[in-house]
Amino acid sequence: MHSLKHTVRKTFLSMLLILSSGMLFAEDMDISKICTLLSSHGVTEGNFVQKKRAFNAKRALTSRGTFFLSHDRIYLQTKKPVETAMGVTETSIITITADGNRTYIDNSQNALFRGMAKIIVDMLNGDRTSLDQQFNYEITGTESEWNIFLTPKDATFSSVIAGITLGGGSDLNHLEMKTTNGSSVSYDFSDLSYKEQLTDGQKKLFASK
């Protein structure tokens, strides 16, 4: 009986040591680490699941597709339920419908669009200066599982966007944006891969013609 108690005690103490060791290595996440993570790749590619919910809707609308993100542009190609595509830069929007109809919208003279597009691209690329200037933020979690909740400082931006949440571990794997009217859109990213530069084919997707 004494031997059994000793074994149980020894096992319990070993488990505590293992857990406490794990806690020591689970460092808190901070803004510098998040920015380093988000800015460490020239181009990020992968799959996404998008969920859009209107403020009065009972359930979200789900779509799936592929994406790529570089330091100055974002491209989302939806595969299901309908094939469409959208590209965004600081000065333009490109849309491609299911029947292949392509529309290029030049927003280079639209200061509001340029500002909001730049904020979003800077955020996804971990631009520390832009994040500090444009958002208040709250960070929770550790390097292996973290979240950052951002609220816009700009009055125009904050009149539309209530908050943005980014989440991840060694990669960015979740983004959610909530609007002031109660609607939301979220993206879950998977099968991520990285490279230094966009291909010529990817660059051509953003051409005006």
Side-chain angles (χ1 to χ4, degrees):
M1 185 68 176
H2 177 75
S3 177
L4 177 60
K5 287 183 177 179
H6 178 74
T7 301
V8 171
R9 187 185 303 113
K10 186 176 180 180
T11 301
F12 181 69
L13 289 173
S14 297
M15 290 174 66
L16 285 178
L17 286 172
I18 292 171
L19 289 172
S20 62
S21 298
M23 290 172 67
L24 288 173
F25 286 102
E27 297 183 15
D28 288 344
M29 200 56 162
D30 62 35
I31 189 63
S32 297
K33 293 174 183 176
I34 290 175
C35 288
T36 298
L37 170 69
L38 295 178
S39 63
S40 59
H41 306 290
V43 179
T44 301
E45 300 176 315
N47 299 323
F48 72 84
V49 176
Q50 179 199 69
K51 293 184 178 180
K52 296 178 70 175
R53 186 186 297 274
F55 73 96
N56 58 351
K58 292 183 178 180
R59 63 178 183 176
L61 298 175
T62 302
S63 57
R64 292 173 169 81
T66 61
F67 80 98
F68 65 81
L69 164 71
S70 74
H71 291 303
D72 61 355
R73 63 195 76 190
I74 305 166
Y75 193 83
L76 299 168
Q77 184 168 12
T78 302
K79 303 287 189 179
K80 296 178 180 179
V82 179
E83 264 197 72
T84 59
M86 180 179 69
V88 178
T89 73
E90 187 178 332
T91 58
S92 64
I93 297 177
I94 298 91
T95 60
I96 304 174
T97 60
D99 58 5
N101 185 38
R102 190 175 187 279
T103 302
Y104 178 89
I105 302 173
D106 183 353
N107 284 295
S108 58
Q109 302 305 311
N110 186 328
L112 176 60
F113 174 86
R114 290 201 318 272
M116 294 187 72
K118 184 179 187 305
I119 288 171
I120 292 172
V121 172
D122 287 349
M123 176 190 69
L124 291 175
N125 281 289
D127 186 316
R128 174 68 186 273
T129 300
S130 181
L131 283 174
D132 285 338
Q133 290 176 346
Q134 303 295 341
F135 295 99
N136 295 307
Y137 47 80
E138 179 182 348
I139 300 169
T140 58
T142 65
E143 291 185 23
S144 61
E145 188 175 354
W146 53 267
N147 285 283
I148 177 170
F149 179 68
L150 305 115
T151 52
K153 293 180 179 179
D154 179 78
T156 302
F157 197 16
S158 63
S159 69
V160 179
I161 304 300
I164 300 170
T165 300
L166 303 178
S170 58
D171 301 291
L172 173 67
N173 54 40
H174 181 75
L175 181 155
E176 183 175 11
M177 186 180 299
K178 293 184 178 180
T179 65
T180 52
N181 70 358
S183 62
S184 66
V185 59
S186 69
Y187 294 89
D188 289 302
F189 306 114
S190 62
D191 302 318
L192 299 180
S193 62
Y194 307 99
K195 60 188 182 186
E196 292 301 314
Q197 297 180 348
L198 295 171
T199 65
D200 289 340
Q202 288 173 324
K203 292 177 183 177
K204 287 180 180 178
L205 294 169
F206 292 86
S208 57
K209 296 182 181 180

PDB file of all heavy atoms in Angstrom, residues 65-98:
ATOM      1  N   GLY A  65     -12.260  29.140 -51.193  1.00  0.00           N
ATOM      2  CA  GLY A  65     -11.437  29.453 -52.340  1.00  0.00           C
ATOM      3  C   GLY A  65      -9.966  29.502 -51.987  1.00  0.00           C
ATOM      4  O   GLY A  65      -9.525  28.944 -50.976  1.00  0.00           O
ATOM      5  N   THR A  66      -9.197  30.184 -52.833  1.00  0.00           N
ATOM      6  CA  THR A  66      -7.760  30.343 -52.641  1.00  0.00           C
ATOM      7  C   THR A  66      -7.421  31.832 -52.591  1.00  0.00           C
ATOM      8  O   THR A  66      -8.209  32.675 -53.022  1.00  0.00           O
ATOM      9  CB  THR A  66      -6.966  29.682 -53.776  1.00  0.00           C
ATOM     10  OG1 THR A  66      -7.314  30.301 -55.017  1.00  0.00           O
ATOM     11  CG2 THR A  66      -7.285  28.191 -53.844  1.00  0.00           C
ATOM     12  N   PHE A  67      -6.250  32.143 -52.074  1.00  0.00           N
ATOM     13  CA  PHE A  67      -5.846  33.548 -51.964  1.00  0.00           C
ATOM     14  C   PHE A  67      -4.338  33.668 -52.076  1.00  0.00           C
ATOM     15  O   PHE A  67      -3.593  32.686 -51.907  1.00  0.00           O
ATOM     16  CB  PHE A  67      -6.312  34.142 -50.637  1.00  0.00           C
ATOM     17  CG  PHE A  67      -5.427  33.776 -49.465  1.00  0.00           C
ATOM     18  CD1 PHE A  67      -4.448  34.657 -49.026  1.00  0.00           C
ATOM     19  CD2 PHE A  67      -5.571  32.555 -48.821  1.00  0.00           C
ATOM     20  CE1 PHE A  67      -3.625  34.320 -47.958  1.00  0.00           C
ATOM     21  CE2 PHE A  67      -4.745  32.209 -47.755  1.00  0.00           C
ATOM     22  CZ  PHE A  67      -3.777  33.096 -47.323  1.00  0.00           C
ATOM     23  N   PHE A  68      -3.890  34.884 -52.369  1.00  0.00           N
ATOM     24  CA  PHE A  68      -2.490  35.229 -52.147  1.00  0.00           C
ATOM     25  C   PHE A  68      -2.416  36.663 -51.646  1.00  0.00           C
ATOM     26  O   PHE A  68      -3.263  37.501 -51.931  1.00  0.00           O
ATOM     27  CB  PHE A  68      -1.601  34.985 -53.373  1.00  0.00           C
ATOM     28  CG  PHE A  68      -1.894  35.840 -54.576  1.00  0.00           C
ATOM     29  CD1 PHE A  68      -1.415  37.145 -54.685  1.00  0.00           C
ATOM     30  CD2 PHE A  68      -2.621  35.319 -55.639  1.00  0.00           C
ATOM     31  CE1 PHE A  68      -1.663  37.910 -55.808  1.00  0.00           C
ATOM     32  CE2 PHE A  68      -2.877  36.080 -56.768  1.00  0.00           C
ATOM     33  CZ  PHE A  68      -2.392  37.381 -56.865  1.00  0.00           C
ATOM     34  N   LEU A  69      -1.389  36.912 -50.867  1.00  0.00           N
ATOM     35  CA  LEU A  69      -1.185  38.208 -50.216  1.00  0.00           C
ATOM     36  C   LEU A  69       0.273  38.590 -50.339  1.00  0.00           C
ATOM     37  O   LEU A  69       1.163  37.797 -50.014  1.00  0.00           O
ATOM     38  CB  LEU A  69      -1.574  38.097 -48.733  1.00  0.00           C
ATOM     39  CG  LEU A  69      -1.104  39.200 -47.784  1.00  0.00           C
ATOM     40  CD1 LEU A  69      -1.856  40.483 -48.059  1.00  0.00           C
ATOM     41  CD2 LEU A  69      -1.293  38.771 -46.333  1.00  0.00           C
ATOM     42  N   SER A  70       0.534  39.785 -50.846  1.00  0.00           N
ATOM     43  CA  SER A  70       1.897  40.314 -50.872  1.00  0.00           C
ATOM     44  C   SER A  70       1.914  41.612 -50.077  1.00  0.00           C
ATOM     45  O   SER A  70       0.915  41.982 -49.453  1.00  0.00           O
ATOM     46  CB  SER A  70       2.362  40.555 -52.319  1.00  0.00           C
ATOM     47  OG  SER A  70       1.721  41.695 -52.865  1.00  0.00           O
ATOM     48  N   HIS A  71       3.033  42.324 -50.116  1.00  0.00           N
ATOM     49  CA  HIS A  71       3.148  43.534 -49.300  1.00  0.00           C
ATOM     50  C   HIS A  71       2.352  44.712 -49.850  1.00  0.00           C
ATOM     51  O   HIS A  71       2.243  45.742 -49.180  1.00  0.00           O
ATOM     52  CB  HIS A  71       4.621  43.933 -49.153  1.00  0.00           C
ATOM     53  CG  HIS A  71       5.409  42.978 -48.314  1.00  0.00           C
ATOM     54  ND1 HIS A  71       5.067  42.660 -47.016  1.00  0.00           N
ATOM     55  CD2 HIS A  71       6.507  42.235 -48.598  1.00  0.00           C
ATOM     56  CE1 HIS A  71       5.924  41.787 -46.529  1.00  0.00           C
ATOM     57  NE2 HIS A  71       6.805  41.506 -47.461  1.00  0.00           N
ATOM     58  N   ASP A  72       1.785  44.575 -51.052  1.00  0.00           N
ATOM     59  CA  ASP A  72       1.006  45.698 -51.576  1.00  0.00           C
ATOM     60  C   ASP A  72      -0.295  45.290 -52.262  1.00  0.00           C
ATOM     61  O   ASP A  72      -0.948  46.120 -52.879  1.00  0.00           O
ATOM     62  CB  ASP A  72       1.850  46.528 -52.554  1.00  0.00           C
ATOM     63  CG  ASP A  72       2.308  45.720 -53.770  1.00  0.00           C
ATOM     64  OD1 ASP A  72       2.065  44.502 -53.812  1.00  0.00           O
ATOM     65  OD2 ASP A  72       2.912  46.321 -54.676  1.00  0.00           O
ATOM     66  N   ARG A  73      -0.696  44.019 -52.119  1.00  0.00           N
ATOM     67  CA  ARG A  73      -1.944  43.612 -52.769  1.00  0.00           C
ATOM     68  C   ARG A  73      -2.493  42.319 -52.177  1.00  0.00           C
ATOM     69  O   ARG A  73      -1.760  41.526 -51.581  1.00  0.00           O
ATOM     70  CB  ARG A  73      -1.744  43.468 -54.269  1.00  0.00           C
ATOM     71  CG  ARG A  73      -0.754  42.407 -54.692  1.00  0.00           C
ATOM     72  CD  ARG A  73      -0.345  42.560 -56.158  1.00  0.00           C
ATOM     73  NE  ARG A  73       0.592  43.656 -56.329  1.00  0.00           N
ATOM     74  CZ  ARG A  73       0.977  44.135 -57.511  1.00  0.00           C
ATOM     75  NH1 ARG A  73       0.473  43.650 -58.629  1.00  0.00           N
ATOM     76  NH2 ARG A  73       1.859  45.118 -57.595  1.00  0.00           N
ATOM     77  N   ILE A  74      -3.796  42.150 -52.351  1.00  0.00           N
ATOM     78  CA  ILE A  74      -4.513  40.964 -51.873  1.00  0.00           C
ATOM     79  C   ILE A  74      -5.368  40.432 -53.023  1.00  0.00           C
ATOM     80  O   ILE A  74      -5.999  41.218 -53.735  1.00  0.00           O
ATOM     81  CB  ILE A  74      -5.445  41.311 -50.691  1.00  0.00           C
ATOM     82  CG1 ILE A  74      -4.677  41.985 -49.562  1.00  0.00           C
ATOM     83  CG2 ILE A  74      -6.163  40.066 -50.184  1.00  0.00           C
ATOM     84  CD1 ILE A  74      -5.582  42.640 -48.528  1.00  0.00           C
ATOM     85  N   TYR A  75      -5.406  39.112 -53.173  1.00  0.00           N
ATOM     86  CA  TYR A  75      -6.234  38.514 -54.231  1.00  0.00           C
ATOM     87  C   TYR A  75      -6.978  37.315 -53.671  1.00  0.00           C
ATOM     88  O   TYR A  75      -6.374  36.391 -53.121  1.00  0.00           O
ATOM     89  CB  TYR A  75      -5.366  38.084 -55.413  1.00  0.00           C
ATOM     90  CG  TYR A  75      -6.154  37.738 -56.660  1.00  0.00           C
ATOM     91  CD1 TYR A  75      -6.581  38.746 -57.533  1.00  0.00           C
ATOM     92  CD2 TYR A  75      -6.465  36.422 -56.969  1.00  0.00           C
ATOM     93  CE1 TYR A  75      -7.291  38.446 -58.681  1.00  0.00           C
ATOM     94  CE2 TYR A  75      -7.182  36.106 -58.115  1.00  0.00           C
ATOM     95  CZ  TYR A  75      -7.588  37.130 -58.972  1.00  0.00           C
ATOM     96  OH  TYR A  75      -8.308  36.823 -60.112  1.00  0.00           O
ATOM     97  N   LEU A  76      -8.304  37.344 -53.773  1.00  0.00           N
ATOM     98  CA  LEU A  76      -9.166  36.259 -53.299  1.00  0.00           C
ATOM     99  C   LEU A  76      -9.907  35.650 -54.485  1.00  0.00           C
ATOM    100  O   LEU A  76     -10.592  36.367 -55.215  1.00  0.00           O
ATOM    101  CB  LEU A  76     -10.190  36.779 -52.288  1.00  0.00           C
ATOM    102  CG  LEU A  76      -9.645  37.417 -51.007  1.00  0.00           C
ATOM    103  CD1 LEU A  76     -10.765  38.136 -50.275  1.00  0.00           C
ATOM    104  CD2 LEU A  76      -9.022  36.365 -50.104  1.00  0.00           C
ATOM    105  N   GLN A  77      -9.758  34.352 -54.682  1.00  0.00           N
ATOM    106  CA  GLN A  77     -10.469  33.664 -55.757  1.00  0.00           C
ATOM    107  C   GLN A  77     -11.424  32.643 -55.145  1.00  0.00           C
ATOM    108  O   GLN A  77     -11.009  31.614 -54.630  1.00  0.00           O
ATOM    109  CB  GLN A  77      -9.508  32.961 -56.713  1.00  0.00           C
ATOM    110  CG  GLN A  77     -10.209  32.311 -57.902  1.00  0.00           C
ATOM    111  CD  GLN A  77      -9.244  31.865 -58.981  1.00  0.00           C
ATOM    112  OE1 GLN A  77      -8.037  31.824 -58.766  1.00  0.00           O
ATOM    113  NE2 GLN A  77      -9.775  31.512 -60.140  1.00  0.00           N
ATOM    114  N   THR A  78     -12.699  32.980 -55.154  1.00  0.00           N
ATOM    115  CA  THR A  78     -13.718  32.096 -54.590  1.00  0.00           C
ATOM    116  C   THR A  78     -14.024  30.963 -55.572  1.00  0.00           C
ATOM    117  O   THR A  78     -14.253  31.204 -56.759  1.00  0.00           O
ATOM    118  CB  THR A  78     -15.009  32.879 -54.290  1.00  0.00           C
ATOM    119  OG1 THR A  78     -14.703  33.950 -53.384  1.00  0.00           O
ATOM    120  CG2 THR A  78     -16.060  31.985 -53.660  1.00  0.00           C
ATOM    121  N   LYS A  79     -14.029  29.735 -55.080  1.00  0.00           N
ATOM    122  CA  LYS A  79     -14.316  28.553 -55.909  1.00  0.00           C
ATOM    123  C   LYS A  79     -15.746  28.062 -55.716  1.00  0.00           C
ATOM    124  O   LYS A  79     -16.393  27.624 -56.673  1.00  0.00           O
ATOM    125  CB  LYS A  79     -13.344  27.428 -55.552  1.00  0.00           C
ATOM    126  CG  LYS A  79     -11.871  27.785 -55.684  1.00  0.00           C
ATOM    127  CD  LYS A  79     -11.442  27.879 -57.122  1.00  0.00           C
ATOM    128  CE  LYS A  79      -9.927  28.022 -57.235  1.00  0.00           C
ATOM    129  NZ  LYS A  79      -9.472  28.094 -58.635  1.00  0.00           N
ATOM    130  N   LYS A  80     -16.233  28.104 -54.481  1.00  0.00           N
ATOM    131  CA  LYS A  80     -17.575  27.629 -54.152  1.00  0.00           C
ATOM    132  C   LYS A  80     -18.228  28.626 -53.218  1.00  0.00           C
ATOM    133  O   LYS A  80     -17.549  29.211 -52.368  1.00  0.00           O
ATOM    134  CB  LYS A  80     -17.506  26.250 -53.460  1.00  0.00           C
ATOM    135  CG  LYS A  80     -16.956  25.144 -54.330  1.00  0.00           C
ATOM    136  CD  LYS A  80     -16.889  23.836 -53.545  1.00  0.00           C
ATOM    137  CE  LYS A  80     -16.341  22.706 -54.389  1.00  0.00           C
ATOM    138  NZ  LYS A  80     -16.253  21.443 -53.632  1.00  0.00           N
ATOM    139  N   PRO A  81     -19.532  28.836 -53.317  1.00  0.00           N
ATOM    140  CA  PRO A  81     -20.505  28.196 -54.222  1.00  0.00           C
ATOM    141  C   PRO A  81     -20.509  28.769 -55.635  1.00  0.00           C
ATOM    142  O   PRO A  81     -21.035  28.167 -56.552  1.00  0.00           O
ATOM    143  CB  PRO A  81     -21.846  28.474 -53.531  1.00  0.00           C
ATOM    144  CG  PRO A  81     -21.616  29.766 -52.829  1.00  0.00           C
ATOM    145  CD  PRO A  81     -20.194  29.736 -52.356  1.00  0.00           C
ATOM    146  N   VAL A  82     -19.904  29.969 -55.823  1.00  0.00           N
ATOM    147  CA  VAL A  82     -19.852  30.596 -57.143  1.00  0.00           C
ATOM    148  C   VAL A  82     -18.416  31.034 -57.401  1.00  0.00           C
ATOM    149  O   VAL A  82     -17.758  31.569 -56.507  1.00  0.00           O
ATOM    150  CB  VAL A  82     -20.795  31.822 -57.225  1.00  0.00           C
ATOM    151  CG1 VAL A  82     -20.700  32.471 -58.603  1.00  0.00           C
ATOM    152  CG2 VAL A  82     -22.227  31.414 -56.926  1.00  0.00           C
ATOM    153  N   GLU A  83     -17.932  30.821 -58.608  1.00  0.00           N
ATOM    154  CA  GLU A  83     -16.575  31.236 -58.949  1.00  0.00           C
ATOM    155  C   GLU A  83     -16.518  32.730 -59.237  1.00  0.00           C
ATOM    156  O   GLU A  83     -17.103  33.206 -60.205  1.00  0.00           O
ATOM    157  CB  GLU A  83     -16.058  30.458 -60.164  1.00  0.00           C
ATOM    158  CG  GLU A  83     -15.216  29.260 -59.758  1.00  0.00           C
ATOM    159  CD  GLU A  83     -14.372  28.734 -60.905  1.00  0.00           C
ATOM    160  OE1 GLU A  83     -13.393  29.389 -61.303  1.00  0.00           O
ATOM    161  OE2 GLU A  83     -14.698  27.653 -61.379  1.00  0.00           O
ATOM    162  N   THR A  84     -15.822  33.445 -58.382  1.00  0.00           N
ATOM    163  CA  THR A  84     -15.585  34.874 -58.569  1.00  0.00           C
ATOM    164  C   THR A  84     -14.183  35.175 -58.062  1.00  0.00           C
ATOM    165  O   THR A  84     -13.549  34.337 -57.414  1.00  0.00           O
ATOM    166  CB  THR A  84     -16.592  35.740 -57.790  1.00  0.00           C
ATOM    167  OG1 THR A  84     -16.489  35.434 -56.390  1.00  0.00           O
ATOM    168  CG2 THR A  84     -18.016  35.489 -58.253  1.00  0.00           C
ATOM    169  N   ALA A  85     -13.703  36.371 -58.353  1.00  0.00           N
ATOM    170  CA  ALA A  85     -12.384  36.766 -57.864  1.00  0.00           C
ATOM    171  C   ALA A  85     -12.377  38.258 -57.595  1.00  0.00           C
ATOM    172  O   ALA A  85     -13.110  39.026 -58.233  1.00  0.00           O
ATOM    173  CB  ALA A  85     -11.301  36.400 -58.869  1.00  0.00           C
ATOM    174  N   MET A  86     -11.546  38.649 -56.637  1.00  0.00           N
ATOM    175  CA  MET A  86     -11.406  40.067 -56.311  1.00  0.00           C
ATOM    176  C   MET A  86      -9.971  40.354 -55.906  1.00  0.00           C
ATOM    177  O   MET A  86      -9.389  39.618 -55.100  1.00  0.00           O
ATOM    178  CB  MET A  86     -12.342  40.486 -55.187  1.00  0.00           C
ATOM    179  CG  MET A  86     -12.218  41.964 -54.812  1.00  0.00           C
ATOM    180  SD  MET A  86     -13.356  42.474 -53.497  1.00  0.00           S
ATOM    181  CE  MET A  86     -12.649  41.597 -52.093  1.00  0.00           C
ATOM    182  N   GLY A  87      -9.408  41.407 -56.486  1.00  0.00           N
ATOM    183  CA  GLY A  87      -8.074  41.850 -56.113  1.00  0.00           C
ATOM    184  C   GLY A  87      -8.134  43.275 -55.601  1.00  0.00           C
ATOM    185  O   GLY A  87      -8.880  44.096 -56.122  1.00  0.00           O
ATOM    186  N   VAL A  88      -7.340  43.570 -54.580  1.00  0.00           N
ATOM    187  CA  VAL A  88      -7.332  44.907 -53.981  1.00  0.00           C
ATOM    188  C   VAL A  88      -5.895  45.386 -53.842  1.00  0.00           C
ATOM    189  O   VAL A  88      -5.032  44.663 -53.337  1.00  0.00           O
ATOM    190  CB  VAL A  88      -8.011  44.909 -52.596  1.00  0.00           C
ATOM    191  CG1 VAL A  88      -7.936  46.297 -51.970  1.00  0.00           C
ATOM    192  CG2 VAL A  88      -9.452  44.445 -52.690  1.00  0.00           C
ATOM    193  N   THR A  89      -5.651  46.603 -54.312  1.00  0.00           N
ATOM    194  CA  THR A  89      -4.396  47.294 -54.042  1.00  0.00           C
ATOM    195  C   THR A  89      -4.748  48.621 -53.365  1.00  0.00           C
ATOM    196  O   THR A  89      -5.925  48.925 -53.150  1.00  0.00           O
ATOM    197  CB  THR A  89      -3.595  47.572 -55.333  1.00  0.00           C
ATOM    198  OG1 THR A  89      -4.236  48.623 -56.064  1.00  0.00           O
ATOM    199  CG2 THR A  89      -3.506  46.334 -56.208  1.00  0.00           C
ATOM    200  N   GLU A  90      -3.748  49.415 -53.093  1.00  0.00           N
ATOM    201  CA  GLU A  90      -4.007  50.694 -52.440  1.00  0.00           C
ATOM    202  C   GLU A  90      -4.779  51.654 -53.338  1.00  0.00           C
ATOM    203  O   GLU A  90      -5.447  52.569 -52.854  1.00  0.00           O
ATOM    204  CB  GLU A  90      -2.684  51.336 -52.012  1.00  0.00           C
ATOM    205  CG  GLU A  90      -2.853  52.581 -51.169  1.00  0.00           C
ATOM    206  CD  GLU A  90      -1.523  53.167 -50.723  1.00  0.00           C
ATOM    207  OE1 GLU A  90      -0.565  52.398 -50.591  1.00  0.00           O
ATOM    208  OE2 GLU A  90      -1.459  54.390 -50.527  1.00  0.00           O
ATOM    209  N   THR A  91      -4.731  51.430 -54.655  1.00  0.00           N
ATOM    210  CA  THR A  91      -5.363  52.373 -55.574  1.00  0.00           C
ATOM    211  C   THR A  91      -6.422  51.761 -56.488  1.00  0.00           C
ATOM    212  O   THR A  91      -7.001  52.461 -57.311  1.00  0.00           O
ATOM    213  CB  THR A  91      -4.298  53.038 -56.483  1.00  0.00           C
ATOM    214  OG1 THR A  91      -3.592  52.017 -57.209  1.00  0.00           O
ATOM    215  CG2 THR A  91      -3.318  53.838 -55.648  1.00  0.00           C
ATOM    216  N   SER A  92      -6.696  50.460 -56.367  1.00  0.00           N
ATOM    217  CA  SER A  92      -7.631  49.850 -57.315  1.00  0.00           C
ATOM    218  C   SER A  92      -8.315  48.614 -56.753  1.00  0.00           C
ATOM    219  O   SER A  92      -7.853  48.006 -55.783  1.00  0.00           O
ATOM    220  CB  SER A  92      -6.901  49.468 -58.610  1.00  0.00           C
ATOM    221  OG  SER A  92      -5.919  48.476 -58.337  1.00  0.00           O
ATOM    222  N   ILE A  93      -9.447  48.278 -57.397  1.00  0.00           N
ATOM    223  CA  ILE A  93     -10.155  47.029 -57.136  1.00  0.00           C
ATOM    224  C   ILE A  93     -10.379  46.341 -58.475  1.00  0.00           C
ATOM    225  O   ILE A  93     -10.810  46.973 -59.446  1.00  0.00           O
ATOM    226  CB  ILE A  93     -11.524  47.254 -56.462  1.00  0.00           C
ATOM    227  CG1 ILE A  93     -11.365  47.904 -55.096  1.00  0.00           C
ATOM    228  CG2 ILE A  93     -12.274  45.936 -56.311  1.00  0.00           C
ATOM    229  CD1 ILE A  93     -12.683  48.221 -54.429  1.00  0.00           C
ATOM    230  N   ILE A  94     -10.087  45.048 -58.538  1.00  0.00           N
ATOM    231  CA  ILE A  94     -10.339  44.250 -59.733  1.00  0.00           C
ATOM    232  C   ILE A  94     -11.321  43.146 -59.346  1.00  0.00           C
ATOM    233  O   ILE A  94     -11.108  42.451 -58.351  1.00  0.00           O
ATOM    234  CB  ILE A  94      -9.045  43.614 -60.274  1.00  0.00           C
ATOM    235  CG1 ILE A  94      -8.041  44.697 -60.682  1.00  0.00           C
ATOM    236  CG2 ILE A  94      -9.352  42.696 -61.462  1.00  0.00           C
ATOM    237  CD1 ILE A  94      -7.095  45.103 -59.586  1.00  0.00           C
ATOM    238  N   THR A  95     -12.393  43.009 -60.099  1.00  0.00           N
ATOM    239  CA  THR A  95     -13.353  41.928 -59.856  1.00  0.00           C
ATOM    240  C   THR A  95     -13.524  41.108 -61.129  1.00  0.00           C
ATOM    241  O   THR A  95     -13.494  41.646 -62.236  1.00  0.00           O
ATOM    242  CB  THR A  95     -14.720  42.467 -59.412  1.00  0.00           C
ATOM    243  OG1 THR A  95     -15.241  43.328 -60.436  1.00  0.00           O
ATOM    244  CG2 THR A  95     -14.612  43.239 -58.117  1.00  0.00           C
ATOM    245  N   ILE A  96     -13.682  39.808 -60.953  1.00  0.00           N
ATOM    246  CA  ILE A  96     -13.917  38.898 -62.070  1.00  0.00           C
ATOM    247  C   ILE A  96     -15.119  38.036 -61.707  1.00  0.00           C
ATOM    248  O   ILE A  96     -15.115  37.344 -60.686  1.00  0.00           O
ATOM    249  CB  ILE A  96     -12.703  38.003 -62.353  1.00  0.00           C
ATOM    250  CG1 ILE A  96     -11.463  38.859 -62.610  1.00  0.00           C
ATOM    251  CG2 ILE A  96     -12.973  37.103 -63.563  1.00  0.00           C
ATOM    252  CD1 ILE A  96     -10.177  38.064 -62.747  1.00  0.00           C
ATOM    253  N   THR A  97     -16.167  38.094 -62.514  1.00  0.00           N
ATOM    254  CA  THR A  97     -17.398  37.367 -62.240  1.00  0.00           C
ATOM    255  C   THR A  97     -17.296  35.931 -62.751  1.00  0.00           C
ATOM    256  O   THR A  97     -16.330  35.553 -63.424  1.00  0.00           O
ATOM    257  CB  THR A  97     -18.603  38.059 -62.891  1.00  0.00           C
ATOM    258  OG1 THR A  97     -18.384  38.105 -64.313  1.00  0.00           O
ATOM    259  CG2 THR A  97     -18.748  39.480 -62.364  1.00  0.00           C
ATOM    260  N   ALA A  98     -18.321  35.135 -62.450  1.00  0.00           N
ATOM    261  CA  ALA A  98     -18.334  33.726 -62.837  1.00  0.00           C
ATOM    262  C   ALA A  98     -18.262  33.533 -64.349  1.00  0.00           C
ATOM    263  O   ALA A  98     -17.709  32.540 -64.834  1.00  0.00           O
ATOM    264  CB  ALA A  98     -19.584  33.057 -62.277  1.00  0.00           C
TER     265      ALA A  98
END
